[in-house]
């Protein structure tokens, strides 16, 4: 196991670090899963060769080039994580509020939010962008030229930043309380889940024009990308999944769950839709039949607060927010093969 590099520091009131710790930069040169720990304000780096945590990044607002400056502050409740296409950088939203219990009351929070851009190999901050309102995620366009982040208030907006200069290029008006921004598998369309409007906005990423406003279930959180040219929308209050066809921009199927979903992922090899069940600590899965419809197939336990899913070949990784760990799952057997302890309230995960 590679030695975990953790800064030694002493906390002062207000969360300041009172002592500078000159910690060497990391060298993440192995296949890795990056797990965002919302309450710990860290990223656990899992070495996928051995499925163990090998490195740790403490998320702060320090831009000195050192591991931590004398007056660095922790980023507050970092949420979700995305790689750029070259896999050299990662982008994280820091909304400043705990989103682990759902998204029904998020619009009351404003101010103090950031987008953090880090070097994916060293873990060092590249850029911190202050944004006016609470954001849900920060994601690169499929060409890597822009970073998009949501503004989760009633006057819903998407902020578009240049990924080289980090200057604001565009502001796109969408529905009320936009949460996750995602892109279709072919990169032709951006999708924004508007929680208060019960809609998903489809956007042309090149022209920044609205292509469609698609009605879905109650309180959609994300339109998650499928390799089958579909988007899978988890509707928290509606307890449903709306499946959107990318070509027609219409809902082609609505699946009643009977529980509040945490995340939806499509496994192309098995033609399965996986949905996390945070309250029960499970993953449920559906299999696509010959007509393209989803048929409920089964469920298996992970741990409390099951949330995000990432696939790597025929393995899956599920973050469990309340259990502070990640479940490693054999996709074909639908069975947990290992549990990896990480930080407090892990939410987003991305694999490099």
């Amino acid at each position: 196991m590679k030695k975990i590099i953790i800064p030694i520091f002493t906390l002062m009131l207000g969360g300041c670090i009172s002592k500078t710790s000159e910690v060497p930069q990391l060298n993440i040169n192995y296949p890795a899963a990056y797990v965002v720990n919302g309450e710990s304000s860290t990223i656990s780096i899992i070495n996928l060769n051995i499925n163990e945590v090998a490195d740790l990044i403490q998320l702060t607002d320090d831009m000195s080039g050192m591991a931590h400056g004398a007056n660095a502050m922790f980023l507050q409740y970092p949420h979700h994580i995305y790689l750029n296409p070259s896999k050299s950088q990662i982008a994280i939203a820091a909304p400043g509020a705990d989103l682990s219990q759902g998204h029904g009351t998020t619009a009351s929070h404003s101010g103090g939010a950031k987008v953090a851009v880090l070097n994916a190999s060293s873990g060092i901050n590249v850029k911190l962008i202050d944004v006016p309102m609470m954001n849900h995620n920060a994601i690169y366009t499929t060409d890597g030229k822009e970073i998009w982040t949501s503004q989760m208030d009633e006057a819903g907006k998407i902020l578009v930043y240049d990924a080289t200069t980090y200057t604001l290029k565009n502001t796109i008006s969408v529905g009320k309380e936009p949460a996750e921004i995602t892109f279709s598998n072919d990169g032709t369309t951006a999708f924004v889940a508007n929680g208060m409007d019960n809609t998903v906005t489809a956007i042309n990423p090149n022209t920044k024009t609205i292509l469609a406003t698609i009605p879905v279930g109650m309180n959609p959180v994300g339109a998650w990308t499928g390799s089958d040219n579909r988007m899978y929308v988890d509707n928290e209050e509606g307890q449903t999944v709306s499946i959107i066809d990318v070509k027609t921009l219409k809902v082609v199927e609505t699946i009643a769950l009977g529980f509040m979903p945490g995340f939806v992922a499509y496994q192309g090899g098995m033609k399965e839709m996986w949905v996390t069940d945070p309250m029960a600590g499970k993953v449920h899965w559906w299999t696509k039949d010959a007509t393209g419809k989803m048929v409920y197939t089964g469920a298996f336990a992970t741990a409390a607060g099951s949330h995000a899913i990432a696939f790597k070949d025929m393995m899956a990784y599920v973050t469990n927010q309340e259990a502070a760990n990640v479940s490693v799952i054999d996709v074909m057997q639908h069975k947990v093969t290992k549990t990896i302890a990480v930080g407090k309230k892990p939410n987003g995960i991305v694999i490099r």
Side-chain angles (χ1 to χ4, degrees):
M1 176 178 175
K2 187 174 178 180
K3 184 177 179 182
I4 300 175
I5 303 176
I6 306 177
I8 300 172
F9 49 78
T10 303
L11 293 178
M12 296 177 63
L13 292 176
C16 293
I17 299 172
S18 64
K19 183 177 180 180
T20 302
S21 178
E22 297 186 13
V23 179
Q25 296 184 14
L26 304 180
N27 182 25
I28 305 168
N29 59 0
Y30 47 84
Y34 297 71
V35 179
V36 178
N37 304 305
E39 189 172 327
S40 300
S41 298
T42 59
I43 303 175
S44 297
I45 314 298
I46 298 172
N47 184 330
L48 298 181
N49 290 327
I50 54 176
N51 280 333
E52 293 181 0
V53 174
D55 283 304
L56 186 73
I57 300 170
Q58 182 70 64
L59 294 169
T60 75
D61 63 0
D62 180 61
M63 291 299 299
S64 68
M66 307 297 291
H68 294 291
N71 297 311
M73 301 284 290
F74 291 159
L75 295 186
Q76 296 299 303
Y77 287 103
H79 192 68
H80 290 188
I81 181 168
Y82 288 89
L83 281 159
N84 66 349
S86 66
K87 300 184 178 181
S88 61
Q89 290 184 350
I90 50 180
I92 303 166
D98 185 0
L99 299 175
S100 64
Q101 299 303 313
H103 302 74
T105 59
T106 54
S108 62
H109 178 89
S110 64
K114 297 181 185 294
V115 171
V117 179
L118 285 77
N119 182 292
S121 295
S122 69
I124 297 299
N125 285 342
V126 174
K127 183 68 177 180
L128 289 167
I129 305 170
D130 291 310
V131 296
M133 298 292 300
M134 181 177 178
N135 53 352
H136 195 269
N137 74 315
I139 185 170
Y140 292 89
T141 50
T142 53
D143 61 9
K145 294 180 179 180
E146 296 172 347
I147 299 171
W148 292 29
T149 193
S150 57
Q151 296 290 269
M152 297 182 70
D153 65 344
E154 288 194 29
K157 291 181 174 60
I158 304 303
L159 305 181
V160 179
Y161 291 89
D162 186 287
T164 301
T165 65
Y166 306 106
T167 55
L168 182 64
K169 291 177 59 178
N170 300 93
T171 299
I172 306 169
S173 294
V174 290
K176 294 179 181 179
E177 199 178 319
E180 197 83 2
I181 307 165
T182 51
F183 290 89
S184 59
N185 192 56
D186 60 9
T188 61
T189 311
F191 293 86
V192 181
N194 306 308
M196 287 184 70
D197 273 351
N198 304 328
T199 62
V200 169
T201 302
I203 304 168
N204 183 315
N206 297 319
T207 64
K208 312 300 187 287
T209 54
I210 305 299
L211 299 174
T213 300
I214 307 163
V216 290
M218 291 180 62
N219 193 16
V221 174
W224 307 104
T225 306
S227 58
D228 58 348
N229 214 32
R230 293 180 171 187
M231 307 298 289
Y232 293 81
V233 184
D234 56 333
N235 305 302
E236 280 193 352
E237 289 184 41
Q239 298 190 359
T240 59
V241 171
S242 303
I243 302 177
I244 297 172
D245 182 272
V246 172
K247 289 183 179 179
T248 64
L249 299 179
K250 295 183 182 298
V251 172
V252 294
E253 188 174 1
T254 300
I255 299 164
L257 303 175
F259 60 88
M260 185 190 78
F263 194 94
V264 187
Y266 180 75
Q267 212 290 333
M270 301 285 286
K271 295 184 179 180
E272 291 178 350
M273 180 184 77
W274 288 25
V275 184
T276 50
D277 181 349
M279 305 305 282
K282 292 181 178 181
V283 173
H284 301 257
W285 84 95
W286 285 252
T287 305
K288 187 183 291 187
D289 67 14
T291 69
K293 297 295 184 182
M294 288 294 175
V295 178
Y296 185 76
T297 311
F300 57 89
T302 54
S306 54
H307 186 59
I309 304 167
F311 292 111
K312 171 67 173 174
D313 300 323
M314 296 308 289
M315 301 299 293
Y317 297 80
V318 176
T319 61
N320 303 303
Q321 293 191 93
E322 300 305 317
N325 59 36
V326 171
S327 299
V328 183
I329 299 153
D330 183 302
V331 169
M332 294 189 71
Q333 296 186 53
H334 301 97
K335 180 181 178 182
V336 175
T337 60
K338 187 172 185 177
T339 301
I340 305 169
V342 291
K344 294 180 180 179
K345 291 195 175 179
N347 52 71
I349 181 170
V350 71
I351 289 176
R352 189 185 69 162

Coordinates of all heavy atoms in Angstrom, one line a residue, residues 34 82-91 117-124 126 140 352:
Y34 N -11.3 8.8 -7.4 CA -11.3 10.0 -6.5 C -12.6 10.2 -5.8 O -13.7 10.3 -6.5 CB -11.0 11.3 -7.3 CG -9.7 11.3 -8.1 CD1 -9.4 10.5 -9.2 CD2 -8.7 12.2 -7.7 CE1 -8.2 10.5 -9.8 CE2 -7.5 12.3 -8.4 CZ -7.2 11.4 -9.4 OH -6.0 11.5 -10.1
Y82 N -15.5 15.9 -11.2 CA -15.4 15.5 -12.6 C -14.0 15.7 -13.1 O -13.3 16.7 -12.7 CB -16.4 16.3 -13.4 CG -17.8 15.9 -13.2 CD1 -18.6 16.5 -12.2 CD2 -18.4 15.0 -14.0 CE1 -19.9 16.2 -12.0 CE2 -19.8 14.6 -13.9 CZ -20.5 15.2 -12.9 OH -21.8 14.8 -12.7
L83 N -13.6 14.9 -14.0 CA -12.3 15.0 -14.7 C -12.4 15.8 -16.0 O -13.5 15.7 -16.6 CB -11.7 13.6 -15.0 CG -11.0 12.9 -13.9 CD1 -11.0 11.4 -14.2 CD2 -9.6 13.4 -13.6
N84 N -11.4 16.5 -16.4 CA -11.4 17.0 -17.8 C -11.1 15.9 -18.8 O -10.6 14.8 -18.3 CB -10.4 18.2 -17.9 CG -9.0 17.8 -17.7 OD1 -8.6 16.7 -17.3 ND2 -8.1 18.8 -18.0
P85 N -11.3 16.1 -20.0 CA -11.1 15.0 -21.0 C -9.6 14.4 -21.0 O -9.5 13.2 -21.2 CB -11.4 15.6 -22.4 CG -12.4 16.7 -22.0 CD -11.9 17.3 -20.7
S86 N -8.6 15.3 -20.8 CA -7.3 14.8 -20.7 C -6.9 14.1 -19.4 O -5.8 13.5 -19.3 CB -6.3 15.9 -21.0 OG -6.3 16.8 -19.9
K87 N -7.8 14.1 -18.5 CA -7.7 13.5 -17.1 C -6.5 14.1 -16.3 O -5.9 13.5 -15.4 CB -7.5 12.0 -17.2 CG -8.7 11.4 -17.9 CD -8.6 9.8 -17.9 CE -9.9 9.2 -18.5 NZ -9.8 7.8 -18.6
S88 N -6.2 15.4 -16.7 CA -5.1 16.1 -16.0 C -5.6 17.0 -14.8 O -4.8 17.4 -13.9 CB -4.3 16.9 -17.0 OG -5.1 17.9 -17.6
Q89 N -6.9 17.3 -14.9 CA -7.5 18.2 -13.8 C -8.8 17.6 -13.4 O -9.5 16.9 -14.1 CB -7.7 19.6 -14.4 CG -6.4 20.4 -14.6 CD -6.7 21.8 -15.1 OE1 -7.8 22.2 -15.4 NE2 -5.7 22.6 -15.1
I90 N -9.1 18.0 -12.1 CA -10.4 17.7 -11.6 C -11.1 19.0 -11.2 O -10.5 20.0 -10.8 CB -10.4 16.7 -10.4 CG1 -9.3 17.2 -9.3 CG2 -10.0 15.3 -10.8 CD1 -9.2 16.3 -8.1
A91 N -12.5 19.0 -11.3 CA -13.3 20.1 -10.9 C -14.3 19.7 -9.8 O -14.9 18.6 -10.0 CB -14.0 20.8 -12.0
V117 N -10.5 23.8 -8.9 CA -9.9 23.1 -9.9 C -8.5 22.7 -9.4 O -7.7 23.5 -8.9 CB -9.7 24.0 -11.2 CG1 -8.9 23.2 -12.3 CG2 -11.0 24.5 -11.7
L118 N -8.2 21.4 -9.5 CA -7.0 20.8 -8.9 C -6.3 20.0 -10.0 O -6.9 19.5 -10.9 CB -7.3 19.9 -7.7 CG -7.7 20.5 -6.4 CD1 -9.1 20.9 -6.4 CD2 -7.5 19.5 -5.3
N119 N -5.0 19.9 -9.8 CA -4.2 19.0 -10.6 C -4.5 17.6 -10.2 O -4.4 17.3 -9.0 CB -2.7 19.4 -10.5 CG -1.8 18.5 -11.3 OD1 -1.7 17.3 -11.1 ND2 -1.1 19.1 -12.3
A120 N -4.8 16.7 -11.2 CA -5.3 15.4 -10.8 C -4.2 14.5 -10.4 O -4.4 13.5 -9.7 CB -6.0 14.8 -12.0
S121 N -2.9 14.8 -10.7 CA -1.8 14.0 -10.3 C -1.2 14.4 -9.0 O -0.8 13.6 -8.1 CB -0.7 14.0 -11.4 OG -1.2 13.4 -12.6
S122 N -1.0 15.7 -8.8 CA -0.4 16.3 -7.6 C -1.3 16.6 -6.5 O -1.0 16.7 -5.3 CB 0.5 17.5 -7.9 OG -0.4 18.6 -8.3
G123 N -2.6 16.9 -6.8 CA -3.6 17.3 -5.8 C -3.5 18.8 -5.4 O -4.2 19.2 -4.5
I124 N -2.7 19.5 -6.1 CA -2.5 20.9 -5.8 C -3.5 21.8 -6.5 O -3.9 21.5 -7.6 CB -1.1 21.4 -6.2 CG1 0.0 20.6 -5.4 CG2 -0.9 22.9 -6.0 CD1 -0.1 20.8 -3.9
V126 N -5.2 24.4 -8.6 CA -4.9 25.2 -9.9 C -5.6 26.5 -9.9 O -5.0 27.6 -10.2 CB -5.2 24.4 -11.1 CG1 -5.0 25.2 -12.4 CG2 -4.4 23.1 -11.2
Y140 N -16.6 19.8 -16.7 CA -16.0 20.2 -18.0 C -16.9 19.8 -19.1 O -17.5 18.8 -19.1 CB -14.6 19.5 -18.1 CG -13.6 19.9 -17.2 CD1 -13.4 19.2 -15.9 CD2 -12.7 21.0 -17.4 CE1 -12.5 19.6 -15.0 CE2 -11.7 21.4 -16.5 CZ -11.6 20.7 -15.3 OH -10.7 21.0 -14.4
R352 N -10.2 7.6 -12.8 CA -9.2 8.0 -13.9 C -8.4 6.8 -14.3 O -7.9 6.1 -13.4 CB -8.3 9.1 -13.3 CG -7.4 9.7 -14.3 CD -6.3 10.6 -13.8 NE -5.3 9.9 -13.0 CZ -4.2 10.4 -12.6 NH1 -3.9 11.6 -13.0 NH2 -3.3 9.7 -11.9

